[in-house]
Amino acid sequence: MKAFVLAALQHASTEDVVLLLSSNPLVLQKILQAPFDIVGTRPNSDVYSFERTAVPFCKLLSSSRFYNISLASALKSIYESVYAEVSFFPRMLTCLDKLFMSGRRYNPGQVRDDTKTWCPADEMDVLEPVCKLLFLILNRVSDAAADDVLYNHYQRLQRVFDTVAGITSADTAPTATTLSRIDTILKSSREKQRREELARQRAQQIQDEQMAMFLQFGEEVSIPLDIADQPGPGSIRPEGPRHDNDHEDYKTIAIVPTQQEIMCTVEPYLPPIAGGSEHVACPVGRHLDAQFRLLREDMLAAFRRGVQGFFREGVLNRIRPSDNRCVVHDDQSNARFDGTVLQLFRNAMLVSVTVAIYQGVSFHVAFDQPSAIANSNKRDRESYWKFHAGSRQLEKDSLVCLAYGVRPLPNGNGSHADKLIFATVADKNIDALVSAEERPSICLKLLDAQNVHSLVELRPKAAQDPGTENVLLQVRGHFFAGYEPVLRALQFHSLETLPMVPLLLPNNNITTFGGQNETNDIPVFWQQRPTRQIDLTDILRNNLRSSGQTFIVPVCAFDEMRRLLHTHEERLLLDPTQIDAFAAALCRRLCDPRTSWYRQNIYRSTYCTCLTGQLRQASRHD
């Protein structure tokens, strides 16, 4: 052992030593298991000297030319082997205690032999290699920082250092720095363990609460919690919520994105493919949680990448003032085809506000005409917005971001905005886009009514600051209106209200709707009505309803309901196909997908979404 260590320190190539130790684990194991003791207490020559052999070995493994070598995987295997040899550090610490904690003083003259190789010159030369080796193991070996045994080793080393520092004249700063770094790593690991435990307890608490609710329906589930593999949402995440709209309960998540959420660079929580969100006890809840989070991420992912890329890359600093289109990339990508296309509408400014009975409050935002038609006549501008590139920009219901007060960061790396306001295009008036007298404008509807005050308040502030610019951003093809109703429906539903549960979750053996049997053609909530009657007056023709006539039918199965409705076909607003669909919506889980009626919900009342305008009132029945 001694010959190998001294040769490696003095003459051998570092690469050769690393490759030899990593490719011959038995050699390394033999060195680590070799007996050693301090000079003057060795019982025989078979026991190596702690000062002449063991400390130089630590010096070798902790030297900068050793751990800075490019053979990362080989180095890691060496440090893992040292960590795995559980007796090595305890024996090193025992020797340190013998050397320093019993009143002895280190005498380098007694230790040095005639080999003219490296030998500790003072107390810190003995202690520093051991501390540095422990630090490297904590850094290079996975989960080593969480090992209580290594924490005990650190405490023993700290006690030895405190003793030696009071008696030595050697420079103690390097060793003190190393011990301080070890302390930081271990404290950070313990804090992480504490947060993970709190998160696990919080997840267990949520699961227990939901389990209590779920047991009301006669079911019992058991879900393993593994917070470390899949950091949960909201307070379940060990580090805390990612942003102000990150919650463990998906029903409390605002469908409208927030500025913090859009600018957050931490990956959003998405339920794992296998099993869904582990903190949700009810299988139906896990299904709804996964559907909601995945659909909402589908709505926001490209939009978030585009807005983040706009600020991260400082787009306004690298494009011409006349440009209104750019491509931004993810952090990991530089390829153009992997980027997100952003439409920019420069120098945006609120110009007017309109209020309508049905549309509510709308804001007209003006901007510079795109460079392609900036100097064109009205006919060319109209052609651009109607038939060419403009026809695919600012489409009705598309999602946009109004960035107020965009300015470059002081270091020139990226940009920043005072406020981000999210809206949808309420109306695209071609006349307002091609006007020769005024700048083009678009009508926007804010997604969050709380931003109305901010939008009006920021207008004069932004206009007075010449060092900023207001920009309207759009990622093409993103329509908030297409997602919002589905997301709200997912937040509304629960175990009690979700239809077709046995079809959605066939392996969970879940009974819903108060124990309704899937083979029963009459829904249980109709059977439980005291009158066992359904008021369908709303589907009578207008003249019959205005004359005071009513249409009340008994609770019955699908075939009987369809026959009854067809009997009164001449009195109803429905055509024959719609009658079949309406009867199915009342009495069955599913209606004919070829018709314009689709079942949305069955629980105490039936709601149907009719794609035919004349039947919208017919969906309001108790």
Side-chain angles (χ1 to χ4, degrees):
M1 175 183 176
K2 180 179 178 181
F4 172 82
V5 172
L6 297 180
L9 275 172
Q10 291 295 111
H11 308 293
S13 164
T14 304
E15 289 84 354
D16 292 342
V17 174
V18 171
L19 292 174
L20 175 64
L21 292 176
S22 61
S23 60
N24 296 276
L26 292 179
V27 173
L28 180 58
Q29 184 182 18
K30 186 176 180 180
I31 294 174
L32 293 171
Q33 293 178 350
F36 53 80
D37 205 341
I38 65 173
V39 172
T41 61
R42 293 185 298 157
N44 54 62
S45 59
D46 293 332
V47 179
Y48 295 99
S49 166
F50 168 72
E51 297 93 331
R52 295 171 185 163
T53 306
V55 173
F57 179 66
C58 292
K59 175 77 172 178
L60 170 68
L61 297 187
S62 62
S63 64
S64 59
R65 68 186 182 95
F66 190 89
Y67 64 75
N68 284 330
I69 201 170
S70 59
L71 302 172
S73 59
L75 274 176
K76 185 177 180 181
S77 68
I78 293 173
Y79 291 127
E80 286 176 343
S81 297
V82 177
Y83 172 61
E85 184 51 56
V86 294
S87 67
F88 180 73
F89 266 107
R91 289 186 290 127
M92 293 290 293
L93 291 167
T94 299
C95 290
L96 287 173
D97 287 343
K98 285 183 179 180
L99 196 59
F100 299 121
M101 301 298 285
S102 59
R104 298 187 183 211
R105 295 293 298 271
Y106 176 70
N107 183 1
Q110 181 183 3
V111 173
R112 182 170 296 279
D113 55 18
D114 57 357
T115 58
K116 296 182 180 181
T117 55
W118 184 87
C119 187
D122 52 43
E123 291 86 348
M124 288 299 113
D125 264 0
V126 177
L127 192 55
E128 172 71 7
V130 183
C131 295
K132 286 188 69 174
L133 181 58
L134 178 61
F135 172 75
L136 289 169
I137 289 174
L138 291 170
N139 255 323
R140 302 295 180 95
V141 179
S142 302
D143 300 327
D147 191 342
D148 289 336
V149 174
L150 292 191
Y151 183 75
N152 293 333
H153 294 345
Y154 156 71
Q155 290 181 316
R156 290 181 65 181
L157 279 173
Q158 185 65 57
R159 286 195 296 270
V160 172
F161 173 78
D162 292 340
T163 300
V164 173
I167 61 175
T168 185
S169 59
D171 183 11
T172 60
T175 306
T177 301
T178 302
L179 287 171
S180 176
R181 294 167 72 183
I182 292 174
D183 183 55
T184 300
I185 292 175
L186 292 172
K187 283 183 177 178
S188 175
S189 173
R190 269 160 173 67
E191 178 62 20
K192 180 181 178 183
Q193 286 179 305
R194 186 188 68 82
R195 290 197 305 265
E196 288 180 353
E197 181 59 30
L198 289 175
R200 193 179 298 276
Q201 292 174 4
R202 172 63 176 156
Q204 187 64 55
Q205 178 186 354
I206 294 173
Q207 187 187 47
D208 291 343
E209 292 172 355
Q210 295 185 352
M211 183 77 73
M213 294 177 59
F214 192 51
L215 289 176
Q216 295 177 5
F217 299 92
E219 299 296 329
E220 185 173 355
V221 292
S222 177
I223 308 169
L225 295 172
D226 196 350
I227 302 299
D229 292 340
Q230 177 66 29
S235 61
I236 296 177
R237 180 171 177 258
E239 293 80 8
R242 297 162 176 81
H243 46 76
D244 58 356
N245 199 26
D246 182 31
H247 306 289
E248 56 266 25
D249 184 0
Y250 78 95
K251 293 188 177 185
T252 63
I253 296 174
I255 296 174
V256 177
T258 65
Q259 179 169 339
Q260 277 192 29
E261 179 179 12
I262 290 296
M263 297 306 296
C264 179
T265 56
V266 181
E267 286 294 321
Y269 169 74
L270 295 177
I273 296 175
S277 296
E278 296 174 333
H279 65 279
V280 181
C282 172
V284 173
R286 289 200 299 277
H287 175 78
L288 293 172
D289 177 270
Q291 296 296 320
F292 178 87
R293 293 182 188 275
L294 295 176
L295 182 62
R296 189 171 182 276
E297 177 64 13
D298 183 60
M299 174 183 73
L300 293 180
F303 185 76
R304 182 175 57 242
R305 286 198 302 269
V307 175
Q308 285 185 6
F310 172 80
F311 291 104
R312 183 180 62 250
E313 299 179 15
V315 169
L316 294 187
N317 303 330
R318 65 176 175 85
I319 64 174
R320 297 173 298 179
S322 58
D323 288 345
N324 72 318
R325 182 181 181 276
C326 69
V327 179
V328 296
H329 303 92
D330 295 338
D331 290 332
Q332 300 82 8
S333 170
N334 292 316
R336 185 180 185 281
F337 56 83
D338 282 335
T340 301
V341 178
L342 263 182
Q343 298 292 338
L344 312 179
F345 301 94
R346 311 287 296 272
N347 295 309
M349 185 61 64
L350 174 65
V351 292
S352 64
V353 180
T354 59
V355 180
I357 295 177
Y358 296 107
Q359 291 184 346
V361 182
S362 301
F363 298 85
H364 295 266
V365 175
F367 50 87
D368 291 345
Q369 197 72 261
S371 57
I373 55 171
N375 300 316
S376 303
N377 56 39
K378 183 176 180 180
R379 184 175 181 179
D380 290 341
R381 291 197 298 271
E382 187 172 350
S383 177
Y384 174 88
W385 285 107
K386 276 188 175 181
F387 308 113
H388 299 299
S391 65
R392 298 183 297 276
Q393 299 170 6
L394 298 177
E395 304 99 317
K396 190 176 186 304
D397 292 328
S398 57
L399 183 62
V400 296
C401 173
L402 185 57
Y404 255 97
V406 180
R407 60 171 61 84
L409 292 173
N411 58 9
N413 186 17
S415 56
H416 169 73
D418 293 332
K419 182 73 174 178
L420 299 183
I421 299 175
F422 305 103
T424 57
V425 176
D427 184 32
K428 184 178 181 180
N429 187 341
I430 299 298
D431 291 336
L433 292 169
V434 302
S435 173
E437 292 77 19
E438 299 177 347
R439 294 201 304 160
S441 64
I442 196 73
C443 182
L444 301 179
K445 188 173 184 63
L446 301 188
L447 294 180
D448 188 350
Q450 295 180 357
N451 284 325
V452 172
H453 177 72
S454 300
L455 182 60
V456 176
E457 187 182 53
L458 284 171
R459 180 191 176 191
K461 176 183 175 183
Q464 294 169 8
D465 190 347
T468 66
E469 181 179 346
N470 308 323
V471 185
L472 188 63
L473 307 173
Q474 181 197 13
V475 178
R476 272 181 42 196
H478 281 70
F479 299 92
F480 181 79
Y483 288 90
E484 184 186 24
V486 181
L487 292 171
R488 292 202 184 281
L490 288 170
Q491 285 186 322
F492 165 78
H493 280 301
S494 63
L495 173 65
E496 300 94 332
T497 62
L498 186 68
M500 300 175 288
V501 170
L503 299 177
L504 293 172
L505 304 168
N507 298 323
N508 284 276
N509 191 28
I510 298 174
T511 302
T512 58
F513 305 125
Q516 178 176 344
N517 190 329
E518 287 298 308
T519 62
N520 192 342
D521 208 18
I522 304 177
V524 166
F525 57 82
W526 287 138
Q527 297 179 22
Q528 294 174 346
R529 292 175 67 86
T531 62
R532 293 185 63 84
Q533 290 180 328
I534 311 172
D535 186 355
L536 300 181
T537 302
D538 281 334
I539 65 173
L540 284 176
R541 293 186 181 276
N542 294 334
N543 61 329
L544 299 179
R545 280 189 289 113
S546 61
S547 64
Q549 294 191 31
T550 60
F551 184 43
I552 299 176
V553 299
V555 171
C556 54
F558 168 70
D559 290 336
E560 178 61 22
M561 180 65 72
R562 182 174 60 175
R563 185 195 64 76
L564 183 60
L565 293 178
H566 277 294
T567 301
H568 296 272
E569 183 177 328
E570 294 182 356
R571 302 175 58 202
L572 306 179
L573 292 168
L574 313 182
D575 61 33
T577 303
Q578 292 170 339
I579 285 177
D580 291 344
F582 190 73
L586 288 173
C587 304
R588 286 185 173 173
R589 299 276 181 176
L590 292 170
C591 59
D592 188 346
R594 295 169 295 180
T595 68
S596 60
W597 288 82
Y598 290 86
R599 182 67 173 279
Q600 280 193 326
N601 175 42
I602 294 183
Y603 184 65
R604 298 183 182 173
S605 60
T606 301
Y607 297 90
C608 303
T609 299
C610 179
L611 304 184
T612 306
Q614 67 179 20
L615 295 177
R616 285 176 181 164
Q617 288 187 345
S619 64
R620 302 195 310 270
H621 48 267
D622 184 6

